[in-house]
């Protein structure tokens, strides 16, 4: 068995958003669609610190689909368009099966990790960018982070890993005790998003 996932070192993340841009470019995402967002912790707006001077803090957290081990979205999809890949553990979306009911969006406890194409997708430029193996974006379907499945199928890492200048992101198989990600969560203190929901996310945040 393989259970791919990601570890993000929040102490090393500088909020540069290179991961967001890499994701958007690689997956040819439509206008105003972001599968990976970097949020500022505590501040009311982006890049605004928390606290009062001189005791301010400025921290960031990147949010994408958590590719849960126990995904709530899969349970509610009436047509099997949202499913968990048995070989990788990655939660995937089949655009051709999706009927646009958005039940997966309602069931997912992680706000904003999915988007819905209300209209035919529009782009900033007239030519497609990124990987040629990315499925064509369609009208009236739900989309989300795929962990760059097209790259995983070729034995590569997700695009967001390559452009992280702080080297804050780590990728690997959590079912392999000798993988870097497994070692990190054994040796370091970490958090997961909304663990009380019982979804068992495959994204861990080192603190």
């Amino acid at each position: 068995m393989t259970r791919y996932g990601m570890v993000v070192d929040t102490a090393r993340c500088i909020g540069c958003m290179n991961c967001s841009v890499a994701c958007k470019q690689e997956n040819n995402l439509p206008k105003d669609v972001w599968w990976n967002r970097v949020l500022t912790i505590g501040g009311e707006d982006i890049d605004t610190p928390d606290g009062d001077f001189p005791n301010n803090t400025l921290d960031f957290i990147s949010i994408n689909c958590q590719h849960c081990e126990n995904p709530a979205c899969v349970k509610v999809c009436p047509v099997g368009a949202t499913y968990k890949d048995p070989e990788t553990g990655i939660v995937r979306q089949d655009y051709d099966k999706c009927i646009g009911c958005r039940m997966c969006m309602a069931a997912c406890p992680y706000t904003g990790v999915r988007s819905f194409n209300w209209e035919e997708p529009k782009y900033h430029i007239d030519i497609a960018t990124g990987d040629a193996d990315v499925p064509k974006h369609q009208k009236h379907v739900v989309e989300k982070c795929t962990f760059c499945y097209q790259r995983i199928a070729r034995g590569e890492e997700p695009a967001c890993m390559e452009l992280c200048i702080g080297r804050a992101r780590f990728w690997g198989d959590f079912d392999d005790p000798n993988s870097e990600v497994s070692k990190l969560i054994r040796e370091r203190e970490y958090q997961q998003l909304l663990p009380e929901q019982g979804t068992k996310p495959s994204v861990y945040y080192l603190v």
Side-chain angles (χ1 to χ4, degrees), residues 58-73:
L58 185 60
D59 298 296
F60 305 95
I61 187 167
S62 61
I63 307 291
N64 57 280
C65 172
Q66 300 293 290
H67 294 277
C68 304
E69 191 174 355
N70 182 31
C73 55

Side-chain angles (χ1 to χ4, degrees), residues 2-205:
T2 300
R3 183 167 71 92
Y4 281 125
M6 191 170 289
V7 173
V8 181
D9 190 340
T10 59
R12 300 182 70 169
C13 177
I14 61 173
C16 67
M17 301 189 189
N18 275 7
C19 54
S20 301
V21 174
C23 170
K24 192 171 184 71
Q25 168 76 16
E26 167 72 17
N27 294 287
N28 190 37
L29 297 186
K31 278 185 179 180
D32 303 321
V33 173
W34 298 88
W35 288 352
N36 186 81
R37 297 171 297 139
V38 179
L39 307 181
T40 305
I41 300 175
E44 294 184 3
D45 299 298
I46 189 171
D47 291 337
T48 58
D50 186 27
D52 298 317
F53 182 81
N55 301 310
N56 299 105
T57 58
L58 185 60
D59 298 296
F60 305 95
I61 187 167
S62 61
I63 307 291
N64 57 280
C65 172
Q66 300 293 290
H67 294 277
C68 304
E69 191 174 355
N70 182 31
C73 55
V74 171
K75 298 176 183 178
V76 300
C77 180
V79 294
T82 300
Y83 66 100
K84 185 177 174 183
D85 182 65
E87 295 183 3
T88 63
I90 294 173
V91 178
R92 302 189 62 190
Q93 198 85 7
D94 188 329
Y95 300 156
D96 292 329
K97 287 185 178 180
C98 181
I99 59 174
C101 70
R102 305 188 300 283
M103 290 292 290
C104 57
M105 298 180 76
C108 177
Y110 307 106
T111 304
V113 300
R114 278 174 162 77
S115 59
F116 182 71
N117 293 331
W118 290 97
E119 302 295 341
E120 199 65 40
K122 295 182 174 63
Y123 302 88
H124 290 287
I125 58 178
D126 294 331
I127 58 172
T129 65
D131 200 308
D133 293 330
V134 171
K136 185 179 185 297
H137 300 285
Q138 302 177 28
K139 179 181 179 180
H140 291 168
V141 301
V142 176
E143 297 188 342
K144 67 175 193 65
C145 161
T146 65
F147 270 162
C148 290
Y149 191 84
Q150 69 281 357
R151 294 171 62 92
I152 305 308
R154 300 193 299 260
E156 302 171 7
E157 295 181 334
C160 61
M161 296 287 300
E162 294 191 349
L163 287 188
C164 180
I165 61 175
R167 296 294 181 261
R169 305 173 80 87
F170 304 86
W171 168 260
D173 178 10
F174 285 114
D175 279 349
D176 176 4
N178 295 315
S179 69
E180 186 174 23
V181 290
S182 293
K183 291 178 181 177
L184 282 168
I185 62 173
R186 277 202 309 268
E187 298 167 358
R188 296 273 303 274
E189 184 179 354
Y190 65 83
Q191 294 178 343
Q192 289 177 290
L193 299 182
L194 305 179
E196 68 276 7
Q197 295 291 329
T199 56
K200 300 181 180 179
S202 294
V203 180
Y204 294 75
Y205 297 90

